[in-house]
C-alpha cells in the first residue's frame, strides 16, 4: 500500500501558510490542487480515503468531503460509489499546433494508450465522402478507438483516411500520424471545428463517465502539401478532463515563441 506521508506533510504545510481567513475546505481544496500541479500526486493516482485524510490532517469528514466535492466539480478527481477516489488527468490542447494525440500526451509526460473498437475498410458515409473528397463507392479506412492517458479514457476518436494513403488500418499501432508519415502522407496543415455536446449512454460507457457529462467534440480535416485531404477525424473529448487553449494576438503583433 502506498505511503502518503509526503502528501500529508505537503498538505499540512500548504494549509498552514495559506490565508487563514479562508474556509478550511477551501484551503484543503487549494492544497490538494497544488499537490496535483506540483507532481506530489501524479495523474491517475488514488487518494487516501476521506477517513485517512480526516485523521492525518485533523479535519472533520465534512470538511474533507467538501474539499473533494469541489475538486471533483472542477474535473480534477473521479469519485465513484464503492471505489477509491482517483486523480483525473486533465489535459490542455493548444489549438494552433497540428499534433497527434500520442505526441501531445508524451510532451506532457503522460503515457498514451488506446482501446481499439474497429479498424475497417469501408465505404464512406456522406459526411466522410464530402470531407475527404472521395466518391461514395471509393473505400476508406475507418479507425475507431478510445484514447487513454496513463490508462484513463480521455476521448473517443473516429478517424477516416482514403485507402490510397493508408491501405490497411492495421498499419496504425498507436499514432495515426506516424503511420501516415511512414507511408509518405504526413499531414501538412489542418482545420478544426469545435462544438459542445453531452455524452450518450455509449459515450459514457466508453469513457467511464456518467451519461449527460459534457463533451468537447472536435472535427478535424487535414491536408497534404498539395492540398489533398488525407484525414477526417471526429474526437469526442470528456469535457471534464480536457481543455483547449489558443494564443490571442492583437492586429500587427509579431508572434514570438517562448520555450
Amino acid at each position: 500500500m502506498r505511503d502518503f506521508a509526503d502528501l500529508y506533510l505537503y498538505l499540512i504545510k500548504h494549509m498552514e501558510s495559506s490565508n487563514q481567513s479562508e474556509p478550511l475546505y477551501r484551503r484543503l481544496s487549494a492544497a490538494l490542487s497544488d499537490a496535483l500541479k506540483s507532481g506530489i500526486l501524479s495523474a491517475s493516482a488514488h487518494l487516501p480515503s476521506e477517513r485517512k485524510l480526516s485523521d492525518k490532517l485533523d479535519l472533520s469528514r465534512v470538511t474533507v468531503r467538501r474539499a473533494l466535492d469541489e475538486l471533483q466539480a472542477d474535473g480534477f478527481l473521479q469519485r465513484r460509489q464503492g471505489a477509491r477516489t482517483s486523480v483525473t488527468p486533465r489535459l490542455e490542447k493548444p489549438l494552433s499546433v497540428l499534433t497527434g494525440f500520442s505526441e501531445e500526451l508524451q510532451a506532457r509526460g503522460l503515457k498514451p494508450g488506446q482501446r481499439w473498437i474497429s479498424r475497417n475498410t469501408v465505404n464512406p458515409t456522406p459526411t466522410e465522402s464530402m470531407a475527404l473528397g472521395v466518391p461514395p463507392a471509393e473505400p476508406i479506412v475507418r479507425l475507431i478507438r478510445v484514447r487513454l492517458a496513463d490508462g484513463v479514457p480521455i476521448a473517443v476518436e473516429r478517424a477516416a483516411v482514403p485507402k490510397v494513403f493508408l491501405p490497411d488500418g492495421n498499419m496504425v499501432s498507436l499514432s495515426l500520424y506516424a503511420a501516415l508519415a511512414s507511408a509518405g502522407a504526413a499531414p501538412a496543415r489542418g482545420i478544426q471545428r469545435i462544438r459542445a455536446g453531452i455524452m450518450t449512454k455509449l459515450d459514457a460507457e466508453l469513457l467511464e463517465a456518467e451519461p449527460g457529462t459534457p463533451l468537447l467534440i472536435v472535427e478535424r480535416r487535414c491536408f497534404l502539401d498539395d492540398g489533398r485531404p488525407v484525414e477526417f477525424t471526429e474526437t469526442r473529448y470528456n469535457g471534464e478532463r480536457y481543455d483547449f487553449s489558443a494564443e490571442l494576438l492583437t492586429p500587427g503583433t509579431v508572434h514570438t515563441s517562448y520555450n
Side-chain angles (χ1 to χ4, degrees), residues 45-50 68 77-80 83-87:
H46 292 289
L47 285 185
S49 67
E50 286 184 10
L68 298 181
L77 298 179
Q78 183 177 26
R79 303 166 76 195
R80 292 192 170 186
R84 296 173 67 188
T85 299
S86 60
V87 177

Side-chain angles (χ1 to χ4, degrees), residues 111-130:
K111 182 180 178 181
Q114 62 197 350
R115 294 178 190 147
W116 281 107
I117 297 175
S118 64
R119 283 182 278 190
N120 297 327
T121 299
V122 296
N123 288 335
T125 65
T127 299
E128 291 167 336
S129 178
M130 290 182 63

Side-chain angles (χ1 to χ4, degrees), residues 62-122:
V62 172
T63 296
V64 172
R65 187 173 299 116
R66 287 192 69 182
L68 298 181
D69 286 344
E70 189 167 89
L71 288 172
Q72 181 182 18
D74 289 339
F76 289 106
L77 298 179
Q78 183 177 26
R79 303 166 76 195
R80 292 192 170 186
Q81 188 69 31
R84 296 173 67 188
T85 299
S86 60
V87 177
T88 299
R90 191 168 187 90
L91 308 176
E92 183 177 280
K93 177 182 176 64
L95 295 177
S96 58
V97 182
L98 180 59
T99 56
F101 186 91
S102 299
E103 291 78 12
E104 289 171 8
L105 295 192
Q106 288 167 344
R108 287 160 175 75
L110 298 172
K111 182 180 178 181
Q114 62 197 350
R115 294 178 190 147
W116 281 107
I117 297 175
S118 64
R119 283 182 278 190
N120 297 327
T121 299
V122 296

